[in-house]
Amino acid sequence: DSIGVARFNIAKRGRASNHLDGAGSSQAGGVRESQLVMTVTCDWLLTQFPGPDIVKIDVEGAEAMVLSGATELLSRVRPKFICEVTSENSGCVSDIFRAYGYRLYDSTVQSAQRKALPKAVWNTLALPGEYTN
């Protein structure tokens, strides 16, 4: 959600549980070590690269932070999102996507059977409201 420096924690168990301070999973089993890392926003990336068609977010509990730094991406570029959403962030993530006119789906459900959801789930597919396929 900002351009700066953050502390990135290396999990004691399971590299998939590495996370930024303020986020993370109970699956990390604690922190083995920490590193300072540079952070940028999705909107800053738009000043350096063309807008994407699809964005994958898998950030171990920091998904609301990522989306908070993506207002231009959400409002102007309007890509499709595939996003792992923790239960703790489901409400906030849902509110952000809804504020920009996105519909939420469970990405594990085949497209013919998908129904719009009121709230983000672990494997969320977020499609712009104008998307019809």
Side-chain angles (χ1 to χ4, degrees):
D1 63 350
S2 63
I3 297 170
V5 177
R7 184 166 305 280
F8 184 70
N9 298 306
I10 310 300
K12 280 190 177 177
R13 57 168 200 244
R15 288 176 28 161
S17 297
N18 297 339
H19 58 278
L20 293 175
D21 266 1
S25 158
S26 62
Q27 300 303 308
V31 175
R32 181 175 357 140
E33 67 176 284
S34 294
Q35 298 287 322
L36 294 178
V37 296
M38 184 76 189
T39 62
V40 298
T41 65
C42 291
D43 287 346
W44 180 85
L45 288 170
L46 286 177
T47 69
Q48 307 300 309
F49 302 100
D53 295 323
I54 299 172
V55 174
K56 169 73 166 105
I57 300 174
D58 182 356
V59 292
E60 302 307 314
E63 48 276 4
M65 289 171 51
V66 169
L67 292 170
S68 293
T71 57
E72 188 73 10
L73 183 68
L74 288 159
S75 64
R76 185 178 59 79
V77 178
R78 308 208 34 86
K80 300 168 193 90
F81 286 85
I82 299 168
C83 184
E84 283 189 358
V85 181
T86 63
S87 58
E88 297 83 10
N89 285 315
S90 179
C92 183
V93 167
S94 301
D95 291 346
I96 293 169
F97 277 129
R98 268 200 301 279
Y100 289 95
Y102 276 76
R103 291 185 313 251
L104 306 176
Y105 301 91
D106 183 338
S107 69
T108 64
V109 175
Q110 292 198 3
S111 59
Q113 282 76 42
R114 277 190 200 130
K115 295 186 181 354
L117 302 172
K119 201 169 177 185
V121 294
W122 179 255
N123 291 301
T124 292
L125 171 64
L127 300 176
E130 64 274 12
Y131 183 75
T132 58
N133 191 1

